[in-house]
Amino acid sequence: MQALIDTLWAPWLVGLAGSVALEACLRPRPRSLTRRGVGAACVHLGSWCLLFALFTLVLQRPWFAVVFVLSLTLVVVQSSNTKSRTLEEPFICHDFEYFWDAIRHPRLYVPFFGIGLAIAASTAGAVAIGMFLYLEPALTGRHGLFAVVVTLALLGTLGAMLVGLGLGRCAPITLHPATDMHQLGLFASLWTYGIALYRSKAPASTPFERVTARAASDTSPNVVLIQSESFFDPRPWCDDIAPHLLTRFDATRTQALDKGTLTVPAWGANTVRTECAVLTGLAPKAWGARQFNPYHTLARRGLPSLASAFKAQGYRTVCVHPYIASFYKRDRVFPELGFESFIDMSDFDANDKHGQYIGDLAVARKVGRLLEDDDNRPLFIFVISMENHGPLHLEAPDRAHASRALPTAPWPLSKPFRDLAVYLKHLGEADEMIDRVKTSLSAARRPGLLGFYGDHVPILPDAYAHIGAPAGETPYMIWSTERTVLENTMPKARQAHELGIALFERASGHDMSSERIKADPEPQEQE
C-alpha cells in the first residue's frame, strides 16, 4: 500500500499545482486561492482529489490522468476566456451542454475558438493518449486491483468531504457570473452554480396566466413580432457609420405607437434569455439559477405566454425561425408556449440564404405568404431571424457596401472594421425586412401591428476594443397600420420582459397591470 501511495503522491501534487496555475490563466483573473476564503479553497482541493481519483481509477495511469484532467481544465479555461471576451460572461456549469452543441452545430461555436486551434488540440490529444497508453504501465499490474481501488476510493471520499465542507462555507452566489467567478474561482463557482440550479424551482405563473378566452373579432389585428438577430443601432456608438444606414427603421420609429430602448439579459449570444423574457413576461430574477437557459425548464413544462394569450383570443399562432428547430429545444418548447406551428429552415431552400444563414428578406417573404393565407382568424407570427448571427469573421466585407456604410474608413479595412462592415451589410437587410413586413401587414384585410426588437448586441470584440463597448441595450418599437397622426412618440425605456405585455395590451385592449405585479414572483431558488 505504501508503494502505491508513493506512486500516486507526485502526480497528485503536480496536478494540484497545475490546476491552480491554469485557473490563474482565466481572464478576468479570479482572486488568488489564498484570498477566496477557506470554503472556496476546500472546494478546489476537494475537486482535484475527486477528479484525480476518478480518472486514475478509470485510466489506471496517474500521470496520464493528470494530463487528461488538466487538459479538460484548460479547455474550460479557454472556453471561459473566449466567452468572457465575446459575451462579457465567464463559463458557468450550464455551459457544459454547449460542448455537445459545438459537435452538433460547429459553425456557431468552433470559429470563435479558432478552427486551427481546434484541429491542433484534437491531434495533440490523440497523440498524447497513444503515448501514455504505451509508455506508462497500469497501476493494477504493479500494485493489485484491491489496493488500487481502495486507495483511490479513499482519496475520492476525502475529496467529496472537502467539497461538501467547502460549499457549506462559501459565500452565497450573486447569480452574476463574472462576480462569482472572481470571488470563488473556477471550481467553486461551477459547483455552487450547479447546486443552485439543482435546488431552483420554476416560476409558478406569468402575467399571461389570467388572460381569459374570447373569440376574435373582424377588427382584431394581425400581429407580427420580430426578434431581429443581434440588431442594435450602431450609429450613436460609432461616428464612422453613415447616418442613412437604417432609413426604413428610422421612418418606422417616427411613426411608432411605442418605441425606446430595451434592456436585454444577454450580450452577443444567449438569445433565449431575451426571447423567453419577451414571450413569458418574466424577468430573469423570476427564474433564479434557471435564468441562464430557461428553455430547459420550458421543454418539460410550459407556462402561459404571449402566444398562448393570443391563442386564447382566437389567434392562429406561428413561429418562423430559419434555423434547426431542435436548437435550444425550441421544437419542444414552443408547443408548450402555445404556438400551433413552427416554420424552421426546412421550409426554406438554398436560394434563401444570404451570407451564412437564411436571409431576412426570405423571412419577410414567408411572413407575407402567411398573412395572405387568410383562414378568418387573426395571426400572431413570432419571427426569430438568423441573418445577423456570427461568426462574422467567416465572411469577407464587400467593398461597395462598406464604402457606403463606412464612408470615412479607408480600404482595405483595418481589423476592427472588417467584422463591423460585414455586420452592417446584414443590418441593412434587417432594415429592408421591416419595410416588407409593414407592406404585407398593410395589404391584409385586417389591421396590423408590428413589434420589432433586437435580442442583444453583436459579437464584435475587435471593434469594441478599438471604439469602446456599446451600452448593451437594443431598440424596440411597436407600429400599427392604423396610425394616422405622425406625431413623434416619446421614447420609453423598457425591460425585455415588459415588451410582450405591451404588445398584447396594444393588440387586445386588455389591461394587464394587475396581473403583471402578481405574476412577477421572487426567485424561488435557494442556496
Side-chain angles (χ1 to χ4, degrees):
M1 185 73 74
Q2 185 60 46
L4 176 58
I5 294 175
D6 292 341
T7 301
L8 296 175
W9 176 252
W12 178 87
L13 188 60
V14 169
L16 177 61
S19 70
V20 174
L22 287 178
E23 196 178 50
C25 295
L26 286 166
R27 297 292 180 271
R29 181 181 293 183
R31 287 177 176 173
S32 65
L33 193 62
T34 57
R35 295 181 56 203
R36 294 176 204 164
V38 175
C42 283
V43 172
H44 186 114
L45 179 60
S47 298
W48 173 251
C49 290
L50 268 174
L51 291 169
F52 178 77
L54 174 63
F55 281 91
T56 301
L57 183 62
V58 172
L59 300 173
Q60 288 296 304
R61 292 160 177 84
W63 287 108
F64 184 16
V66 167
V67 173
F68 197 88
V69 174
L70 292 184
S71 297
L72 294 178
T73 305
L74 179 60
V75 169
V76 173
V77 169
Q78 288 296 97
S79 299
S80 183
N81 289 346
T82 300
K83 189 183 176 195
S84 292
R85 185 173 67 90
T86 56
L87 307 184
E88 301 285 309
E89 180 180 291
F91 193 93
I92 57 177
C93 73
H94 306 57
D95 296 328
F96 281 112
E97 68 169 312
Y98 293 130
F99 290 127
W100 174 243
D101 282 338
I103 297 173
R104 298 172 60 207
H105 310 283
R107 176 178 288 275
L108 294 180
Y109 297 94
V110 175
F112 292 110
F113 298 91
I115 296 174
L117 178 62
I119 295 173
S122 300
T123 303
V127 171
I129 290 172
M131 288 180 60
F132 275 106
L133 289 175
Y134 179 74
L135 296 175
E136 188 178 11
L139 286 176
T140 52
R142 291 180 289 165
H143 303 285
L145 177 62
F146 179 78
V148 170
V149 171
V150 170
T151 302
L152 293 176
L154 289 173
L155 180 60
T157 301
L158 174 63
M161 292 174 61
L162 285 171
V163 169
L165 177 65
L167 288 173
R169 302 189 63 177
C170 282
I173 57 174
T174 64
L175 292 180
H176 295 287
T179 300
D180 295 324
M181 178 72 81
H182 176 73
Q183 292 179 345
L184 298 174
L186 178 63
F187 289 96
S189 66
L190 291 176
W191 275 104
T192 51
Y193 269 66
I195 290 173
L197 180 62
Y198 175 77
R199 292 177 176 175
S200 66
K201 297 180 181 179
S205 60
T206 78
F208 298 104
E209 188 169 31
R210 292 183 176 85
V211 174
T212 55
R214 72 179 187 188
S217 68
D218 291 339
T219 59
S220 297
N222 291 317
V223 181
V224 178
L225 177 59
I226 299 175
Q227 177 177 274
S228 185
E229 172 63 40
S230 300
F231 188 99
F232 85 122
D233 185 354
R235 293 169 295 180
W237 162 70
C238 178
D239 295 335
D240 294 289
I241 298 174
H244 56 74
L245 177 71
L246 299 173
T247 55
R248 300 167 185 87
F249 169 78
D250 292 338
T252 306
R253 274 176 64 87
T254 300
Q255 303 169 0
L257 301 170
D258 194 353
K259 64 185 179 184
T261 57
L262 197 67
T263 299
V264 294
W267 175 289
N270 293 307
T271 296
V272 293
R273 299 180 190 177
T274 303
E275 189 176 304
C276 181
V278 172
L279 289 176
T280 65
L282 294 175
K285 68 177 183 178
W287 293 91
R290 299 175 186 230
Q291 65 185 267
F292 302 104
N293 189 351
Y295 278 10
H296 274 306
T297 300
L298 292 176
R300 297 189 298 271
R301 181 177 68 84
L303 287 170
S305 74
L306 178 61
S308 65
F310 274 119
K311 189 174 182 179
Q313 304 287 293
Y315 277 70
R316 181 159 61 103
T317 55
V318 182
C319 176
V320 179
H321 178 44
Y323 198 61
I324 301 167
S326 60
F327 192 53
Y328 276 125
K329 296 184 173 68
R330 286 189 177 100
D331 58 332
R332 294 165 55 190
V333 170
F334 276 64
E336 294 284 347
L337 293 179
F339 284 94
E340 296 177 35
S341 57
F342 193 113
I343 296 174
D344 71 347
M345 66 183 299
S346 64
D347 292 280
F348 297 83
D349 57 46
N351 295 327
D352 292 326
K353 292 187 70 174
H354 191 272
Q356 303 174 69
Y357 307 101
I358 302 299
D360 286 348
L361 299 189
V363 172
R365 290 193 295 271
K366 184 69 68 176
V367 170
R369 287 193 288 270
L370 286 168
L371 290 169
E372 291 171 0
D373 183 20
D374 190 350
D375 69 348
N376 294 321
R377 287 189 295 168
L379 261 173
F380 170 60
I381 305 173
F382 180 52
V383 173
I384 310 167
S385 74
M386 278 296 293
E387 182 175 339
N388 293 347
H389 202 293
L392 297 166
H393 66 270
L394 295 185
E395 299 180 52
D398 177 77
R399 183 171 185 175
H401 184 273
S403 65
R404 296 190 298 271
L406 294 164
T408 63
W411 189 270
L413 295 173
S414 60
K415 185 178 180 182
F417 289 96
R418 287 181 60 82
D419 290 357
L420 176 60
V422 173
Y423 171 72
L424 295 179
K425 182 177 180 180
H426 292 305
L427 206 63
E429 299 294 297
D431 188 53
E432 176 69 22
M433 173 176 60
I434 294 171
D435 211 43
R436 295 199 182 185
V437 173
K438 285 169 58 181
T439 300
S440 296
L441 282 168
S442 299
R445 178 176 60 85
R446 295 175 177 275
L449 280 177
L450 170 63
F452 183 92
Y453 68 97
D455 55 349
H456 49 68
V457 298
I459 298 175
L460 294 168
D462 293 328
Y464 298 155
H466 179 71
I467 301 170
E473 298 171 330
T474 65
Y476 80 89
M477 56 185 172
I478 299 174
W479 173 89
S480 172
T481 59
E482 296 188 312
R483 182 69 183 256
T484 55
V485 180
L486 302 183
E487 62 186 31
N488 195 8
T489 305
M490 292 298 295
K492 180 179 180 180
R494 290 188 183 276
Q495 302 287 324
H497 67 279
E498 298 172 336
L499 179 57
I501 296 169
L503 180 66
F504 183 75
E505 289 179 337
R506 288 280 184 183
S508 66
H510 187 80
D511 182 6
M512 299 179 63
S513 57
S514 59
E515 289 94 334
R516 196 179 318 172
I517 301 301
K518 295 174 183 176
D520 188 15
E522 291 300 316
Q524 299 183 49
E525 166 267 321
Q526 299 175 359
E527 289 299 302

